[in-house]
Amino acid sequence: MIPRTAPACQSEKDAIKTDSLPLHWQTTLAAAFREPAKLLRFLELPESLLENTIVADPSFTLRAPLGYCQRIEKGNPDDPLLRQVLPLSEEMQTADDFLLDPVSDLASLQVPGLLHKYQGRVLLITTQACAVHCRYCFRRHFPYQQNRSEQEWQEAINYIHTNPDIHEVILSGGDPLSLTESRLKRLTDKLQMIPHIKTLRFHTRQPVVLPERITDDFLGWLDSLPWKIIMVIHCNHANEIDTSVSSALNKLHQHQVMLLNQSVLLAGVNDDAQRLIELSHKLFTHHVLPYYLHMLDKVQGATHFYVNTEKALKLMDEVRQQLPGYLVPKLVQEQAGEKSKITII
Ligand SMILES: *Cc1c(COP(=O)(O)O)cnc(C)c1O
Ligand code: SF4
C-alpha cells in the first residue's frame, strides 16, 4: 500500500481542475456526432441513406467522436468503421436467441456495480458513459445507474477487501476512462488499502476512439499506482489506428502499461482473414498484443453483425497459418454460468 501523501489543498485543486472546467478531451467528447444527418453530410454520403438510420432504441443513439469519423472513408456507405457507429434500421430485427442481457451479467452482480464471475478477478462497472456507441455493444441494455455513487463503490471495495483471493480488479463500464482523474484517483486511493490486489486492468475503447484522453495528467496518475497495469483496448479494424491513436499507444507503452487488444468478430467489419491479419500486424507495431476475438454476444439489436461459429473457425484457421502464434487472438465466447470465457477451437 502506498500512503496518500498529497496535501489536501493539492487534491482539492485537482478536483476543481478536473471536475469543473472541461478538459480538452471532454470538449472533444461533447462535440461528437449525435445526429445521423450531420454524420452523413460530413462523410459526403447521400441523404437518402437516412431512411435506413431509424433508431430502435432512443437511449442508445448515434455517438461518434470527430477524430474517429475522420478515419472513415468519405463516400463509402459500407466503410467498416462507419458500420460500427451508424444506427441502422436492421437494429429493429429481432431473433429469439438475441436477448437483452445475453451473458447474464445481472445474475453475477455481487454488490451494485461489481461482477465476480471468474476466480481471482472482479469486474467493476465504473460508469455507463462511453465516448462512442458501438452498435453491437452487449451492454447496450444494461440498467446502469445514472450516477454511481461513492457509497456504492464503498460496497464494492468492502467486498473485494473481504475476499483475499481477488488479486485483480478490472475497471470496465461503459468506459472507465470516461471518469475524470480525480474520480479515478478517489477509487484507486481506496483500492490501495487492499493488500491482496496485485493487478489493475482497464477495459477501454478510448485510446482508439478518443486518443486525446491519454493526457499527461492521466499518465501521471498511472505512474503513481503501485500495481502492474494492464490495458485491454478494443480495436476491431486496422483503419481505426491513425497517428493520434499510435501516439496514445506509444505513450501508454512508455509508461509501462501492458497493452492487449480485444475485438469482436463483426459481419461487414472484420469477418475476413486478411483484415484480421492486418489488424494483428498493425497492433503489434504499436506495442499491442492481440488477446481475444469475441464471438458476438447475442444482444437484441445486433443480429446484422452475427458471424456463425463455422465461419469463425474457418477464418481462424487462415489467421493461424499466416501469423506467428503471439499475433493470433483467442476466439472466445462469453457463456452464462461458465467459470471462464469459452475458447472455441
Ligand atoms: C471477461 C470478464 C473478465 C475477464 O476475463 P479474462 O478471461 O481474465 O480476460 C472478468 N470478469 C467478467 C465478469 C468478465 O466478463
Ligand atoms: S465502448 Fe465498449 S461498452 Fe461502450 S458502447 Fe462500445 S462496446 Fe459498448
Side-chain angles (χ1 to χ4, degrees):
M1 188 191 104
I2 290 187
R4 259 187 89 170
T5 48
C9 58
Q10 179 64 39
S11 47
E12 256 160 47
K13 230 176 22 198
D14 212 61
I16 290 164
K17 192 169 96 207
T18 48
D19 282 342
S20 309
L21 296 174
L23 298 162
H24 172 61
W25 65 267
Q26 290 174 315
T27 316
T28 311
L29 188 54
F33 283 101
R34 305 283 193 131
E35 290 161 44
K38 277 196 188 155
L39 179 58
L40 292 180
R41 220 172 301 131
F42 173 75
L43 294 173
E44 297 163 18
L45 285 165
E47 278 218 11
S48 57
L49 284 176
L50 268 184
E51 287 162 28
N52 289 335
T53 62
I54 305 155
V55 182
D57 179 356
S59 68
F60 199 68
T61 50
L62 168 72
R63 183 168 203 174
L66 174 64
Y68 186 81
C69 296
Q70 282 166 337
R71 300 169 221 159
I72 298 173
E73 189 194 351
K74 294 237 159 109
N76 178 6
D78 300 320
D79 181 278
L81 275 56
L82 178 61
R83 189 167 165 82
Q84 294 179 55
V85 296
L86 186 67
L88 296 176
S89 46
E90 277 127 304
E91 293 184 21
M92 310 282 239
Q93 287 168 6
T94 53
D96 285 349
D97 53 343
F98 279 69
L99 312 171
L100 289 175
D101 179 22
V103 301
S104 294
D105 267 354
L106 293 179
S108 310
L109 280 175
Q110 259 57 35
V111 294
L114 188 88
L115 295 168
H116 191 188
K117 268 195 196 177
Y118 305 148
Q119 199 179 340
R121 53 228 196 265
V122 284
L123 191 146
L124 198 57
I125 303 214
T126 53
T127 167
Q128 89 282 7
C130 290
V132 65
H133 286 172
C134 312
R135 305 320 305 172
Y136 52 85
C137 179
F138 77 100
R139 289 225 179 95
R140 57 186 292 169
H141 307 289
F142 196 81
Y144 295 108
Q145 295 224 282
Q146 269 311 311
N147 286 305
R148 195 148 287 295
S149 65
E150 309 269 320
Q151 166 68 29
E152 280 183 3
W153 277 358
Q154 194 55 52
E155 276 186 68
I157 293 199
N158 292 347
Y159 179 88
I160 300 169
H161 216 136
T162 48
N163 283 274
D165 61 320
I166 296 170
H167 54 80
E168 176 169 16
V169 174
I170 302 171
L171 303 187
S172 184
D175 198 310
L177 299 201
S178 302
L179 300 180
T180 57
E181 273 80 37
S182 59
R183 285 208 74 196
L184 287 167
K185 186 172 182 303
R186 282 206 288 278
L187 177 59
T188 51
D189 280 349
K190 289 184 174 166
L191 290 173
Q192 285 190 42
M193 309 288 180
I194 306 176
H196 46 270
I197 297 176
K198 305 288 180 236
T199 305
L200 185 70
R201 188 193 325 180
F202 296 86
H203 276 207
T204 170
R205 191 145 159 69
Q206 289 205 1
V208 174
V209 298
L210 193 73
E212 296 87 343
R213 178 66 188 90
I214 309 305
T215 59
D216 289 343
D217 279 353
F218 177 74
L219 293 164
W221 167 71
L222 280 187
D223 285 343
S224 76
L225 301 175
W227 311 290
K228 188 115 192 95
I229 307 287
I230 300 178
M231 195 174 276
V232 182
I233 64 164
H234 176 169
C235 182
N236 296 313
H237 192 288
N239 291 359
E240 287 180 300
I241 304 174
D242 69 354
T243 50
S244 64
V245 175
S246 155
S247 148
L249 294 173
N250 264 323
K251 285 183 202 162
L252 289 164
H253 174 69
Q254 281 160 9
H255 285 257
Q256 274 71 51
V257 176
M258 152 91 72
L259 291 166
L260 303 173
N261 181 59
Q262 60 177 347
S263 312
V264 180
L265 185 55
L266 299 166
V269 175
N270 58 11
D271 57 338
D272 171 278
Q274 289 319 310
R275 281 186 172 179
L276 291 171
I277 290 164
E278 192 192 345
L279 173 61
S280 274
H281 279 308
K282 197 156 179 186
L283 287 166
F284 185 60
T285 342
H286 295 97
H287 319 287
V288 186
L289 284 176
Y291 181 44
Y292 283 152
L293 175 62
H294 287 267
M295 292 293 290
L296 183 77
D297 291 310
K298 292 184 169 179
V299 67
Q300 214 177 81
T303 53
H304 54 303
F305 285 113
Y306 187 63
V307 178
N308 67 33
T309 310
E310 191 190 353
K311 175 158 186 193
L313 286 172
K314 218 179 262 168
L315 288 173
M316 286 307 295
D317 265 348
E318 270 185 73
V319 167
R320 254 190 303 272
Q321 282 167 30
Q322 295 188 49
L323 285 176
Y326 58 87
L327 291 189
V328 179
K330 285 189 217 57
L331 181 67
V332 291
Q333 184 150 38
E334 184 87 36
Q335 240 163 53
E338 294 292 337
K339 297 265 177 240
S340 70
K341 300 194 200 300
I342 306 296
T343 312
I344 303 177
I345 31 171

